[in-house]
Amino acid sequence: MHSIETRLKELMLASLAGDARSYGVLLSDVAKHLRFYFLRRLADAHKGDADDLVQETLMALHTRRATYEVDRPFTAWLHAIARYKLIDHFRRNRIRATVPLDDVEDLFAPDQSDAAADRMDVQRLLQSAPEKTRDLIYRTRIEGQSIAEVAQSTGLSETSVKVSIHRGIRAITARLKGHAANDDK
Amino acid sequence: MQPMMTNDLITRLTGELKPVPRTAVIMRVATGLGISLAASAILMLLWLGMRPDLAEASTTMMFWTKFSYTLILAVAGAWAVKRIAHPLGSIRVNLGLMAGAIVVMIILAFAQLAMTPPDEYMAMLKGRTIAVCTFNIVILSLPLLIGAFWVLRGLAPTRLTVAGAAAGLAAGAIAALVYSFHCFESAMPFIAVWYTLGVLVAGLIGAITGRFILRW
């Protein structure tokens, strides 16, 4: 959070001084943050408006950049504009906000939702591997330890670690294929 | 407008970039309010005219009390327009300053009443122009309200009703200052009631219309 503020603020100050290169970087960066921000706040039926909102907000940032006060946080300023654009969008389309319109940290929080979902998927899939091999797979494929390290700490030979992992992965693959087959039905 | 990819937009905006001086917002406020102040003053001169006894009046305490009162409100109002032009801008300080000035004016009014025989109270309050004073101030505030709205529409107020109120109060207060060069009333209670009412009505007009006119 803090480093994002520092970075974007530096870019903004350079942009206000007329540095086009910094400005290009700033706008691309901001566009990414804005896209997540709007996507998370629009209902499924309106997700398609996210890009319009991003562009509108970038335009507003551009035409109203003089209103940024250099002794204030840039992220707070940008968030206020993005929030205004979102509320204006709701108002224009007579949509009632069902998602809470929260504060500035939110615009710049790293998006964790995908990572969390992935982690849960991994845990569930690992359940389909034999119990002894779960740990081996986790340590080599997720944590990134080497076969040698794992062999040493478990007391198994490197070959049997490799074989166990191989079998475990095959079990997981079979489970995934089974899922796909079920989905087809 | 044609749908445009975000990247194209970024390229276009980057190409349009010009340096922004730090005083850009203040300059816009000064330009907008300055021009509309001139318009309001010209309107006053053509429509109402300067009070004929201005030279004489400018040696009296009452003229300067009226002048100072409206000037303080005008400065607080113009400063409020500047502050609310920023996203996250707040005008609490400015409203506090205006409220303080109004309270002081009311105290002065009561002080003057206390030194006056009770049967003159109504005369002091009504003056000779009670029917038109508030109305004239509101009319003179209209060019200023347009100017203040122009200022804000190019900037980034995010709370439009508050921004409209700031624009209206500034317009009303500057209009009262302009009007004080026409008005020959000289009783504190008159100023405290009818001038203040004119400023507040202009503020109300700004607050009501601002949320529609100021959208960006």
Side-chain angles (χ1 to χ4, degrees):
Chain A
M1 177 67 201
H2 188 71
S3 61
I4 294 178
E5 166 61 32
T6 313
R7 182 182 136 76
L8 293 183
K9 183 169 182 169
E10 264 170 30
L11 289 170
M12 182 64 176
L13 293 180
S15 306
L16 287 175
D19 177 3
R21 237 208 346 225
S22 298
Y23 196 45
V25 177
L26 175 74
L27 291 181
S28 317
D29 251 40
V30 162
K32 266 178 248 157
H33 286 296
L34 288 174
R35 200 149 181 286
F36 276 118
Y37 176 80
F38 289 126
L39 277 175
R40 263 180 294 156
R41 272 158 197 76
L42 292 166
D44 286 341
H46 301 283
K47 295 260 191 241
D49 299 335
D51 283 320
D52 285 348
L53 277 166
V54 170
Q55 290 173 13
E56 257 184 65
T57 308
L58 290 177
M59 284 285 292
L61 182 163
H62 180 73
T63 54
R64 291 153 213 278
R65 63 190 187 280
T67 65
Y68 172 60
E69 292 168 292
V70 296
D71 53 348
R72 299 238 183 157
F74 172 77
T75 48
W77 177 79
L78 179 64
H79 175 260
I81 291 180
R83 188 174 183 277
Y84 173 83
K85 283 294 172 191
L86 184 65
I87 292 171
D88 189 56
H89 174 80
F90 287 152
R91 203 188 288 141
R92 245 179 311 158
N93 297 288
R94 297 170 193 286
I95 302 166
R96 270 217 214 126
T98 48
V99 188
L101 298 160
D102 28 26
D103 42 47
V104 56
E105 264 94 72
D106 232 64
L107 175 52
F108 299 96
D111 188 27
Q112 302 280 14
S113 52
D114 289 349
D118 289 350
R119 248 193 324 270
M120 286 193 307
D121 286 346
V122 168
Q123 300 292 351
R124 221 179 26 237
L125 281 172
L126 278 175
Q127 297 302 316
S128 50
E131 205 182 321
K132 281 178 204 160
T133 59
R134 264 178 230 161
D135 183 49
L136 299 178
I137 294 175
Y138 194 83
R139 287 166 69 172
T140 52
R141 299 297 167 97
I142 311 284
E143 289 182 350
Q145 297 183 25
S146 70
I147 302 284
E149 279 172 327
V150 175
Q152 207 172 20
S153 68
T154 52
L156 298 167
S157 72
E158 285 191 27
T159 320
S160 55
V161 169
K162 274 189 209 161
V163 171
S164 297
I165 290 174
H166 182 70
R167 284 193 190 134
I169 299 276
R170 213 165 50 194
I172 291 172
T173 317
R175 164 90 186 274
L176 276 176
K177 278 182 184 154
H179 261 293
N182 282 340
D183 287 349
D184 286 344
K185 277 176 198 168
Chain B
M1 201 174 75
Q2 284 283 27
M4 195 179 3
M5 295 301 294
T6 302
N7 286 338
D8 296 341
L9 178 69
I10 291 175
T11 310
R12 184 162 74 76
L13 296 182
T14 308
E16 286 174 10
L17 182 71
K18 288 194 192 83
V20 176
R22 293 206 174 168
T23 51
V25 172
I26 288 179
M27 287 307 292
R28 188 177 172 92
V29 174
T31 307
L33 293 185
I35 291 173
S36 52
L37 163 63
S40 177
I42 290 169
L43 177 64
M44 186 276 279
L45 290 174
L46 295 180
W47 171 42
L48 302 167
M50 195 83 88
R51 61 187 288 183
D53 60 342
L54 185 68
E56 201 182 316
S58 64
T59 61
T60 64
M61 239 279 276
M62 193 50 226
F63 177 83
W64 291 107
T65 307
K66 206 156 61 167
F67 181 80
S68 314
Y69 177 55
T70 51
L71 183 66
I72 290 170
L73 293 182
V75 170
W79 182 31
V81 171
K82 193 267 167 197
R83 297 195 63 193
I84 202 68
H86 299 274
L88 306 172
S90 158
I91 58 166
R92 216 174 293 166
V93 177
N94 310 73
L95 293 181
L97 190 59
M98 290 179 121
I102 292 172
V103 168
V104 169
M105 194 64 222
I106 290 171
I107 290 171
L108 288 176
F110 273 108
Q112 201 183 31
L113 284 178
M115 297 184 292
T116 310
D119 53 339
E120 286 178 29
Y121 281 4
M122 282 319 281
M124 289 192 90
L125 191 59
K126 282 183 177 168
R128 278 181 293 163
T129 57
I130 174 176
V132 292
C133 173
T134 299
F135 175 78
N136 287 352
I137 289 176
V138 172
I139 295 297
L140 289 176
S141 79
L142 295 180
L144 285 152
L145 190 62
I146 293 171
F149 277 169
W150 173 82
V151 168
L152 288 172
R153 280 181 59 94
L155 300 170
T158 49
R159 287 182 300 157
L160 302 188
T161 303
V162 179
L169 289 172
I174 299 172
L177 181 63
V178 169
Y179 185 67
S180 74
F181 285 86
H182 160 76
C183 166
F184 49 79
E185 298 290 349
S186 60
M188 302 271 189
F190 184 92
I191 309 300
V193 174
W194 306 114
Y195 271 55
T196 309
L197 188 63
V199 176
L200 295 180
V201 168
L204 189 66
I205 293 173
I208 292 169
T209 54
R211 51 178 306 207
F212 302 105
I213 295 175
L214 292 177
R215 283 169 77 167
W216 49 277

